[in-house]
Every structure is written in structure tokens, then in C-alpha cells.
């Protein structure tokens, strides 16, 4: 696959409703989309960095800088046999996984199209339908949260995850658990607590949660192992797992019993598959996390979620929960049983709506390979 052109766009898109986590509130998304053309075939990737460095160090603007000044120049005009060879081309660039993943995933889309198969099949996916859960932002009152949970359960979602932070935790979780005694319920703290909060977090054991996501430091594995030894609830690591080696460290230290995989956080499909394999062979369930993506990011998440290690419902939910209008067709839809049917068409299996993307674009940058004489 000769990388002939790369187009980087920033689109701005308003969320249907604000999304609150322990690190802030998101209203308007500023999302980078990457279109790569190789061997005349166009592929798409989404950069999942947030507008602020509240979740991880990357932001929309750092990703724009890294892609424009380092990543695109390093790969334009290069020839790769398979998408995973992209990693060797950017080996000299440390970190910035989300920026890299935009290009790598576009190459996976292209590789699947050239092979004439779905991305899921190319990745080695084995599931035709994936199980879906939802992530619910922090609310004003426990009552308001209970009402939201009820609506999501009515739509069929198989697992409810509640965002928590100090002061917005025990009452909220207890209220939801009281109303719905047998649902699969989990919480996500996005690093809002310290080890000294262990006695407080232990109180959540009574709510019989499926898991507690990233309670401690965003870059910590070790202290989580001390907390895990003190609570019954399974810890799931998100923020602190960037590659298969981190996953292995966490598993061996018993820092968690579940891992969440996000394509952007681990740098793309190649590393995501490795993390999945490390976990699957050690009996650690994984699930696909979300980053408030448009349909392009969702389509990549769906393909990844078909790998055999993904045995728990993920955070990949319907387009209409976040957007009035998505940029893919058809939009991502969820069945009444809380599942998504994996598309079988080539590549992503969804059509990219260029007209809508063009309308939402606020800045754009392109690179083209020098034409060389045959
Ligand atoms: O920790 O999973 C997280 C959104 C932004 C940043 C971090 C997280 C989230 C979510 C949203 O929980 C999940 C979704 O996209 O539906
Ligand atoms: Mg999380």
C-alpha cells in the first residue's frame, strides 16, 4: 500500500447533551478525522483526543501538531505491505498514541477494502453481534440519574456504567442499585480518588458492581494493586494501560481483574489486538471503551469488539445517543436486546458522508506523495 495522500481535518460537532466526568464537562467536540489514500483506496480514522488534557495528556491541538509536523511527514509516500507496518514508520515518535491511531486505523480500513473483506474479518474478529452498554455522565441528583438509567434499560442496553467523583458517588450508586437490584452495573472514577479513600471505596462493595474503573492515578498501576487487595469490587484499568506490556504488568501485579481497551489510548488496532491477546490468554475479560466518537470512531470500535477476548458489553452505543446527525450511513443502531449487528461490507462497512464532514470542517491540511517517474 503506497501512501499517496493524507488529509487531516478538524470538525466541530455539538453533543446532544453535555457529558460530565470527574475531570470536566464536554459540550462541543473538536474532533480530528484522518483520510488516507493508498493504492487509490480511501480509508478513514478518527483521533479520539479530548479538547482538554483531562483524560490523558493528548488534546485535539497536540494531535494536530503531532500529525502535521511529525506523523504525516514520516509516512507520506511510504509503501507498507500491511497496516501494522505503520508502527515501524513512527517508532521514533514517543507517545501520542491517539494521534498515531488516526492514521494507523485508516490504513487498516484500506487494507480490508483491498482484501475485499470487512475490517472485523481482517482483524480476526469472531463475533457477528456485539454486546452494548452505556456510560452515563454525572447528574444533578440521584433521582435524575435513576430516571436516565431507566430510559437506557428500556432501550435494551445490557450494562450501565455510572461516572462518579467524590461527593457524587455512594448515594448515586445506591439509588440506582436499589431501583434495579439485578442489572449489570459499574462505575468509572477517571482517577478521582487517592489510596487514602480505600475505606470509602470499599463501601461500594455493597452495591455488587461488575467493576470500578480507574479509581486512582491516571498513570498508576502499582497503587491500584494495593487497592484491589482491599476491596471486593473488580478494578478495571482504563487510563493507565497504553500497550500489551502495561496490560501484562497490571495482570501480574493483580492491579485489576478487567481491562478496558480504547483504540486511541493504545495507538491503534495492532496494539489493541496485542492487549486483547495478553488478556484473553490470562483469563482477563476486556471490553471496548468509548471516547464520545463520531461514527468513524464507532465503526472502528465495533470491528475491534468482535475479537474473541471482548467478552463484556462495551461503551459503544447508538449514534443517536450523542449526535443529531452522524457522519456515517447507516448510523450505528442498537437492537432491542442491546446489541449491534456487525456490518459485513468491506472495510468499515459504513458509508462516510463526505458532504456532512465538509460542512463541519473548520481546518484542513493535506500531504501528497511526490510523483516519481515510473
Ligand atoms: O473513561 O470511558 C471513559 C468519555 C470521555 C473520556 C473518558 C471516558 C468517556 C466515557 C464515554 O465514558 C463513553 C462513550 O463514548 O460512550
Ligand atoms: Mg474510563
Amino acid at each position: 500500500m503506497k501512501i499517496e495522500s493524507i488529509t487531516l481535518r478538524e470538525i466541530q460537532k455539538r453533543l446532544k447533551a453535555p457529558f460530565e466526568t470527574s475531570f470536566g464537562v464536554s459540550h462541543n467536540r473538536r474532533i480530528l478525522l484522518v483520510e488516507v489514500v493508498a493504492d487509490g483506496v480511501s480509508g478513514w480514522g478518527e483521533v479520539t483526543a479530548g479538547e482538554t488534557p483531562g483524560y490523558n495528556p493528548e488534546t485535539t491541538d497536540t494531535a494536530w501538531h503531532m500529525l502535521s509536523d511529525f506523523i504525516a511527514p514520516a509516512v507520506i509516500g511510504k509503501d507498507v505491505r500491511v497496516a501494522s507496518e505503520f508502527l515501524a514508520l513512527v517508532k521514533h515518535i514517543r507517545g501520542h498514541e491517539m494521534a498515531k491511531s488516526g492514521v494507523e486505523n485508516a490504513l487498516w480500513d484500506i487494507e480490508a477494502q483491498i482484501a475485499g473483506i470487512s475490517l472485523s474479518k481482517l482483524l480476526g474478529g469472531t463475533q457477528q453481534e456485539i454486546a452494548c452498554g452505556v456510560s452515563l455522565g454525572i447528574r444533578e441528583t440521584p433521582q435524575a440519574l435513576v430516571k436516565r438509567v431507566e430510559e437506557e434499560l428500556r432501550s435494551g442496553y445490557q450494562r450501565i456504567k455510572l461516572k462518579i467523583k467524590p461527593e457524587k458517588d455512594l448515594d448515586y450508586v445506591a439509588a440506582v442499585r436499589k431501583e434495579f437490584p439485578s442489572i449489570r452495573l459499574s462505575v468509572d472514577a477517571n482517577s478521582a480518588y487517592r489510596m487514602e479513600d480505600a475505606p470509602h471505596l470499599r463501601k461500594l462493595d455493597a452495591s455488587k458492581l461488575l467493576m470500578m474503573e480507574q479509581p486512582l492515578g491516571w498513570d498508576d498501576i502499582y497503587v491500584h494493586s494495593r487497592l484491589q487487595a482491599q476491596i471486593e469490587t473488580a478494578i478495571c484499568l482504563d487510563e493507565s494501560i497504553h500497550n500489551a506490556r502495561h496490560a501484562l504488568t497490571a495482570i501480574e501485579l493483580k492491579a485489576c481483574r478487567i481491562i478496558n481497551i480504547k483504540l486511541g489510548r493504545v495507538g491503534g488496532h495492532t496494539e489493541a489486538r496485542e492487549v486483547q491477546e495478553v488478556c484473553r490468554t490470562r483469563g482477563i475479560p476486556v471490553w471496548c471503551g468509548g471516547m464520545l466518537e463520531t461514527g468513524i470512531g464507532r465503526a472502528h470500535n465495533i470491528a475491534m469488539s468482535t475479537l474473541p477476548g471482548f467478552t463484556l458489553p462495551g461503551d459503544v452505543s447508538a449514534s443517536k445517543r450523542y449526535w443529531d446527525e452522524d457522519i456515517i450511513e447507516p448510523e450505528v443502531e442498537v437492537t432491542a436486546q442491546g446489541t449491534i449487528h456487525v456490518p459485513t461490507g468491506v472495510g468499515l462497512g459504513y458509508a462516510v458522508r463526505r458532504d456532512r464532514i465538509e460542512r463541519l470542517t473548520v481546518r484542513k491540511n493535506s500531504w501528497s506523495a511526490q510523483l516519481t517517474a515510473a
Side-chain angles (χ1 to χ4, degrees):
M1 297 186 283
K2 163 121 189 227
I3 303 176
E4 291 155 4
S5 76
I6 299 173
T7 304
L8 176 62
R9 286 185 178 80
E10 176 179 335
I11 62 165
Q12 295 190 357
K13 213 163 159 39
R14 192 170 179 78
L15 288 169
K16 260 186 168 177
F19 189 81
E20 180 171 351
T21 63
S22 64
F23 60 82
V25 189
S26 191
H27 300 267
N28 288 300
R29 297 279 355 260
R30 294 176 54 214
I31 298 170
L32 302 188
L33 298 177
V34 180
E35 182 185 11
V36 177
V37 176
D39 294 351
V41 177
S42 150
W44 289 83
E46 176 166 339
V47 176
T48 61
E51 295 71 38
T52 67
Y55 165 81
N56 71 338
E58 295 189 77
T59 69
T60 310
D61 291 309
T62 68
W64 181 275
H65 162 55
M66 292 308 297
L67 281 155
S68 299
D69 296 338
F70 298 102
I71 300 168
V75 305
I76 192 68
K78 296 280 163 49
D79 208 336
V80 289
R81 274 176 306 136
V82 288
S84 57
E85 283 185 8
F86 163 81
L87 289 177
L89 301 178
V90 295
K91 215 168 170 238
H92 58 293
I93 303 168
R94 293 186 180 175
H96 299 281
E97 292 85 357
M98 290 175 165
K100 289 173 183 167
S101 138
V103 175
E104 195 200 301
N105 293 348
L107 287 168
W108 277 95
D109 178 17
I110 294 170
E111 186 181 335
Q113 292 178 61
I114 291 173
I117 57 177
S118 69
L119 176 56
S120 159
K121 187 150 187 215
L122 178 65
L123 291 168
T126 52
Q127 312 184 50
Q128 278 83 50
E129 205 176 346
I130 61 163
C132 309
V134 288
S135 173
L136 297 182
I138 295 167
R139 302 280 145 169
E140 243 351 277
T141 62
Q143 293 69 37
L145 182 61
V146 167
K147 191 163 161 281
R148 285 293 298 139
V149 171
E150 191 185 349
E151 286 161 13
E152 302 293 0
L153 291 171
R154 224 182 296 127
S155 302
Y157 286 103
Q158 299 186 15
R159 183 229 61 204
I160 304 287
K161 154 173 144 183
L162 312 175
K163 290 291 192 180
I164 57 166
K165 66 178 182 183
E167 315 283 309
K168 294 265 193 177
D169 47 16
L170 303 182
D171 301 352
Y172 287 75
V173 178
V176 172
R177 182 46 100 201
K178 180 158 181 279
E179 197 69 24
F180 309 103
S182 58
I183 60 166
R184 290 214 265 185
L185 185 64
S186 59
V187 293
D188 186 357
N190 289 111
S191 301
Y193 299 89
R194 307 275 71 91
M195 187 58 197
E196 299 78 72
D197 298 318
H200 178 77
L201 293 171
R202 197 184 302 127
K203 293 185 184 148
L204 287 168
D205 284 348
S207 291
K208 301 289 171 215
L209 301 174
L210 184 59
M211 71 191 91
M212 175 191 299
E213 209 176 320
Q214 200 79 25
L216 308 179
W218 64 276
D219 59 351
D220 169 76
I221 295 176
Y222 171 68
V223 188
H224 278 99
S225 75
R226 290 179 41 219
L227 178 64
Q228 182 67 93
Q230 294 188 23
I231 64 174
E232 277 171 28
T233 308
I235 290 177
C236 169
L237 290 180
D238 173 351
E239 278 88 332
S240 54
I241 305 297
H242 291 265
N243 52 52
R245 178 175 49 79
H246 287 166
L248 188 58
T249 304
I251 295 167
E252 298 214 333
L253 286 177
K254 295 188 165 49
C256 63
R257 298 205 285 262
I258 298 172
I259 287 179
N260 148 339
I261 302 182
K262 288 181 180 167
L263 273 168
R265 198 192 68 228
V266 304
H269 283 297
T270 306
E271 194 65 30
R273 206 162 55 170
E274 296 289 319
V275 174
Q276 178 260 170
E277 189 61 11
V278 159
C279 292
R280 194 185 59 78
T281 52
R282 287 163 182 80
I284 297 290
V286 303
W287 54 279
C288 176
M291 290 295 291
L292 313 174
E293 290 96 338
T294 72
I296 291 174
R298 268 165 222 279
H300 279 286
N301 285 342
I302 292 166
M304 175 180 78
S305 302
T306 64
L307 291 169
F310 286 74
T311 56
L312 288 172
D315 273 349
V316 191
S317 58
S319 300
K320 68 163 193 247
R321 289 189 66 249
Y322 292 102
W323 314 113
D324 284 327
E325 186 180 82
D326 206 341
I327 56 172
I328 56 163
E329 227 168 44
E331 298 203 333
V332 173
E333 281 174 17
V334 171
T335 67
Q337 289 72 46
T339 63
I340 293 173
H341 288 291
V342 179
T344 51
V346 296
L348 294 181
Y350 295 91
V352 172
R353 287 288 304 255
R354 282 173 186 282
D355 54 335
R356 290 182 185 165
I357 291 173
E358 215 51 67
R359 242 189 294 128
L360 298 166
T361 298
V362 296
R363 56 174 166 164
K364 187 167 156 178
N365 210 347
S366 297
W367 294 261
S368 290
Q370 230 85 62
L371 287 177
T372 47

